[in-house]
Amino acid sequence: MSGDKRVILSGMRPTGRLHLGHLEGALKNYLQMQAEGADCYFMVADIHALSTEYKNPAAISENSRELLLDWLAVGLDPDRATLFVQSEVAEHSELFVILGMLTPLAWTERCPTYKEQQQELADRDLATYGFLGYPVLQAADILLYRATQVPVGQDQLPHVEMTREIARRFNHLYGETLPEPQSVLTASPKVPGLDGRKMSKSYGNAVYLSDGKDALEKKIKQMYTDPQKVHAHTPGKPDQCVVLALYKIYASGQAEAVEKECRGGQRGCMTCKRALLPIVDAILAPIRDQREAWAGQPGRLEQIIQAGNKRAQARARETMQAVHAAMGWEALAPEGRRP
Ligand code: TRP
Ligand code: SF4
């Protein structure tokens, strides 16, 4: 690796296939950091998934495989980045417990995502001890790798902030041990879902990275446009139009002309949508092909994860040694703690 000193840790919960919002909101940054030669750790956050899916844990493994396939399909490269599974590196649970001891209850209770998620996932009982600790587990994930940068979507900023607070508290109590990480947002604008709300699996408004061309065509037909624009010659007001938003993201050179023609009554929504299909499909087609190629090699997938878990574990163990040493909390038997 180059002289790049940055250590990157990020993760995603395996709760289903990834969509364009993930690609623009986080994965683009993963790819850039990987390309720049930073020391990258990308984690399948399956314990975090358990915090909301604890009634159906069997689905987590299958979803973890799907997540890994999506990652490889977009170009995360096991030769340049460490891809691993959270639950398979036991140190996450260990550091989570330690950090839980020193994290004030009020920090977790006032975390904005705590109440938001409980409301959003009202069909599940999330009044649990583990769910309250969600950001503490995330802090453990990040601090375990002594990450300097955490590429995340906007919604995760409070968790990275709490991670910084927890690191500061640990360092204050036991001495400078854990670096405070920075969050890194992508430059790209938010991708709206088909209905104009934030793109999200739970809203049923997502374009998945694995969608075929036919599925994509159907979804583009459903996209929210200016509801007043009934004819091509009706002057449009496309400020909320999802189709225009996608032109702006994926065909920025054309977006201005599209908007002008729309406002001037020189363009109809049908034509506009038809022309968007090849533009978005050009993004998805190579991802779809790669996904298929990787899906045909389950043995290789297993090897990748095994190697990734091992590399992650080596770094995690170094950190745990530093953590125990800082705390002055030594094992009584030489084999008492893993080497
Ligand atoms: N909470 C993150 C999400 O829902 C996933 C996650 C778990 C994560 N651990 C992390 C992200 C550590 C960044 C760093 O998207
Ligand atoms: Fe949107 Fe295009 Fe219809 Fe205008 S013409 S409202 S930009 S889909």
Side-chain angles (χ1 to χ4, degrees):
M1 281 198 191
S2 62
D4 201 328
K5 288 262 168 21
R6 290 174 306 166
V7 180
I8 313 302
L9 178 289
S10 194
M12 292 184 180
R13 280 170 302 146
T15 51
R17 293 183 174 201
L18 299 185
H19 52 62
L20 286 176
H22 295 113
L23 181 62
E24 298 304 320
L27 287 171
K28 288 243 164 114
N29 260 341
Y30 287 24
L31 290 165
Q32 189 181 337
M33 290 168 171
Q34 171 183 279
E36 289 166 355
D39 192 6
C40 294
Y41 294 85
F42 299 126
M43 174 187 80
V44 176
D46 63 340
I47 311 181
H48 276 106
L50 192 60
S51 74
T52 56
E53 312 299 315
Y54 61 89
K55 289 193 177 156
N56 186 19
I60 294 177
S61 314
E62 182 48 30
N63 284 332
S64 296
R65 204 182 82 93
E66 295 290 345
L67 178 57
L68 191 64
L69 281 176
D70 277 332
W71 277 359
L72 293 166
V74 298
L76 294 189
D77 176 356
D79 292 329
R80 289 186 289 168
T82 300
L83 312 180
F84 72 99
V85 179
Q86 185 184 31
S87 66
E88 292 169 33
V89 179
E91 283 76 4
H92 288 260
S93 301
E94 192 176 356
L95 187 57
F96 169 52
V97 169
I98 293 175
L99 297 180
M101 301 306 166
L102 53 95
T103 302
L105 191 54
W107 292 5
T108 58
E109 284 169 339
R110 69 159 189 240
C111 182
T113 54
Y114 178 56
K115 294 224 164 68
E116 271 165 34
Q117 285 271 29
Q118 276 187 338
Q119 280 164 9
E120 199 145 301
L121 304 173
D123 55 322
R124 285 166 245 201
D125 181 4
L126 295 182
T128 59
Y129 173 66
F131 190 69
L132 182 66
Y134 186 107
V136 184
L137 178 59
Q138 188 161 344
D141 299 337
I142 296 167
L143 299 175
L144 195 53
Y145 298 87
R146 287 159 279 142
T148 58
Q149 261 93 5
V150 185
V152 281
Q154 193 97 35
D155 60 312
Q156 293 296 309
L157 293 180
H159 295 166
V160 181
E161 193 47 43
M162 197 188 303
T163 302
R164 295 164 59 82
E165 286 172 335
I166 292 173
R168 242 175 275 148
R169 185 154 165 81
F170 184 99
N171 294 340
H172 174 75
L173 287 167
Y174 310 120
E176 209 50 51
T177 313
L178 302 170
E180 283 180 41
Q182 272 168 344
S183 35
V184 183
L185 292 173
T186 51
S188 24
K190 266 212 184 102
V191 189
L194 305 180
D195 55 0
R197 290 188 292 172
K198 179 186 172 190
M199 188 176 282
S200 161
K201 182 181 98 149
S202 50
Y203 293 157
N205 64 1
V207 174
Y208 292 98
L209 300 183
S210 50
D211 277 346
K213 194 166 182 179
D214 292 347
L216 178 62
E217 186 172 12
K218 279 202 193 106
K219 288 183 178 181
I220 290 180
K221 281 196 181 137
Q222 289 173 37
M223 280 178 186
Y224 180 84
T225 62
D226 173 5
Q228 313 279 27
K229 191 165 169 48
V230 277
H231 300 295
H233 54 263
T234 324
K237 289 199 193 69
D239 302 302
Q240 308 295 323
C241 174
V242 174
V243 179
L244 181 61
L246 290 182
Y247 274 102
K248 284 183 178 163
I249 298 172
Y250 295 113
S252 52
Q254 293 175 46
E256 210 174 304
V258 168
E259 182 163 359
K260 216 168 152 201
E261 287 173 24
C262 168
R263 291 187 190 278
Q266 294 145 330
R267 188 180 182 89
C269 295
M270 287 257 282
T271 321
C272 203
K273 287 180 164 182
R274 209 173 296 130
L276 182 68
L277 176 61
I279 294 170
V280 180
D281 195 55
I283 308 289
L284 298 188
I287 299 177
R288 197 186 295 141
D289 292 349
Q290 281 298 310
R291 198 178 201 284
E292 228 160 85
W294 281 107
Q297 310 174 66
R300 176 96 179 89
L301 237 59
E302 229 171 74
Q303 280 171 4
I304 287 169
I305 273 304
Q306 190 135 11
N309 289 346
K310 251 195 168 153
R311 278 212 299 271
Q313 191 168 65
R315 182 145 179 110
R317 286 190 175 172
E318 273 175 26
T319 304
M320 288 315 295
Q321 277 183 355
V323 161
H324 288 134
M327 297 172 79
W329 186 19
E330 303 300 340
L332 294 189
E335 298 289 313
R337 285 203 183 101
R338 288 179 295 267

